[in-house]
Amino acid sequence: MSDALAPGYAAPSLLRPRGATDDPPAARIALIATSVIFLALFLFAPLVVVFSEALSKGFATFAVAFSDADAQAAVQLTLLVAAIAVPANLVFGLAAAWSIAKFSFPGKSLLVTLIDLPFSVSPVVSGLVYVLVFGAQGVFGPWLAAHNIQIVFAVPGIVLATIFVTFPFVARELIPLMQEQGTVEEEAALTLGASGWRTFFTVTLPNIKWGLLYGVLLCNARAMGEFGAVSVVSGHIRGLTNTIPLQVEILYNEYNSVAAFALAVLLAGLALVTLGIKTFLEWRHAGELAGRGGRRL
């Protein structure tokens, strides 16, 4: 009997291909251990330090940090900026995603590239651009001064800088999702006599609601935690133009570490809540969120 007909023989082409999970146990353990150690050193350890330093002198001292007028002003300003920037980016993200996913027009690829611009440009550079455009010596500076309008070193400049660094998040979550869904359902609704707005609210929006919420969460987290661009345009005026990240820097430079870490705990708590909601959305609505290809924080 030939080898080809011997019992137990399997032709090479019929052998089961080696899967990614067929690696030796030692290799799998090494990869998992490396990931865990990396996360422990660069993620969990800093979080533990932040919380421990904030509570190092007791909870009473920790709570006093939030009674400071400058800290309260920083929290209020951060919430105000996020309350303006996130809805603005929500409207832009919906409009951009709708245009790119549903229509063909000249410059479409350029628009997609421009949406990704804040991911590649340093936030400090983007803040400097606003200073050069709206500052006292900027392009529109003399005209703004003549009309008693202040943008740089004021709340409007902080809002503009925050909008710039956060506007890709909603759009980049929605564009792949809407492209994958196509236009069949919208065209069917329009054929049946539905108006454009009714089609949007009854067909398009329900299909993208979880991806939209996901993008809004990421946008909000980045808006509240932005430092570089806001630092350039704010002027660091205590009680007026300092957001929470800027107030943390000032307190730390003044060796008021407990107050600095107390505000840092507030930002860390925001990040943990955002992460928890994001994880829940990915678990609960994995099918609807699949294929979006958006960027993460």
Side-chain angles (χ1 to χ4, degrees):
M1 180 180 296
S2 64
D3 292 341
L5 298 178
Y9 174 83
S13 59
L14 300 179
L15 292 175
R16 182 175 63 89
R18 183 172 178 269
T21 58
D22 293 337
D23 292 325
R28 284 182 285 173
I29 294 174
L31 290 173
I32 295 173
T34 301
S35 302
V36 171
I37 293 173
F38 187 89
L39 289 174
L41 290 176
F42 296 101
L43 179 62
F44 297 120
L47 284 175
V48 171
V49 170
V50 169
F51 280 87
S52 62
E53 287 291 332
L55 298 171
S56 60
K57 295 184 179 180
F59 184 80
T61 305
F62 170 83
V64 168
F66 295 98
S67 64
D68 179 70
D70 291 340
Q72 294 178 356
V75 173
Q76 292 172 2
L77 178 58
T78 302
L79 295 176
L80 174 63
V81 171
I84 298 174
V86 173
N89 285 324
L90 171 63
V91 174
F92 167 79
L94 279 171
W98 180 281
S99 301
I100 293 170
K102 308 298 182 180
F103 305 109
S104 296
F105 53 89
K108 181 177 178 178
S109 59
L110 177 62
L111 177 59
V112 175
T113 301
L114 291 177
I115 290 175
D116 288 336
L117 186 63
F119 288 129
S120 57
V121 175
S122 169
V124 175
V125 174
S126 63
L128 181 60
V129 169
Y130 282 105
V131 173
L132 296 176
V133 174
F134 299 111
Q137 306 300 322
V139 178
F140 299 108
W143 184 89
L144 293 172
H147 292 78
N148 196 28
I149 300 175
Q150 187 173 3
I151 294 181
V152 176
F153 306 148
V155 175
I158 298 174
V159 171
L160 288 175
T162 303
I163 289 176
F164 177 84
V165 298
T166 58
F167 77 76
F169 288 97
V170 175
R172 291 306 300 169
E173 291 299 322
L174 293 181
I175 290 172
L177 183 60
M178 296 177 74
Q179 286 177 330
E180 182 180 351
Q181 291 174 353
T183 60
V184 175
E185 295 185 13
E186 285 87 355
E187 291 173 353
L190 293 173
T191 302
L192 294 174
S195 64
W197 284 110
R198 185 173 182 181
T199 300
F200 173 77
F201 285 109
T202 60
V203 178
T204 304
L205 189 59
N207 287 337
I208 64 171
K209 59 184 178 181
W210 298 116
L212 179 62
L213 179 58
Y214 189 94
V216 168
L217 285 172
L218 296 180
C219 180
N220 182 70
R222 177 63 186 273
M224 289 191 175
E226 175 56 30
F227 178 84
V230 171
S231 178
V232 175
V233 301
S234 69
H236 294 268
I237 305 174
R238 301 186 67 153
L240 294 177
T241 63
N242 274 346
T243 58
I244 295 177
L246 301 184
Q247 186 68 14
V248 170
E249 181 196 31
I250 289 177
L251 292 173
Y252 188 78
N253 290 337
E254 293 177 348
Y255 301 100
N256 190 353
S257 59
V258 173
F261 281 106
L263 290 179
V265 164
L266 186 61
L267 289 177
L270 169 67
L272 292 175
V273 170
T274 302
L275 179 63
I277 297 175
K278 179 181 76 69
T279 302
F280 171 78
L281 289 177
E282 289 181 334
W283 168 74
R284 182 66 178 81
H285 305 281
E288 295 176 71
L289 293 172
R292 63 181 178 269
R295 293 179 184 263
R296 294 176 171 82
L297 282 177

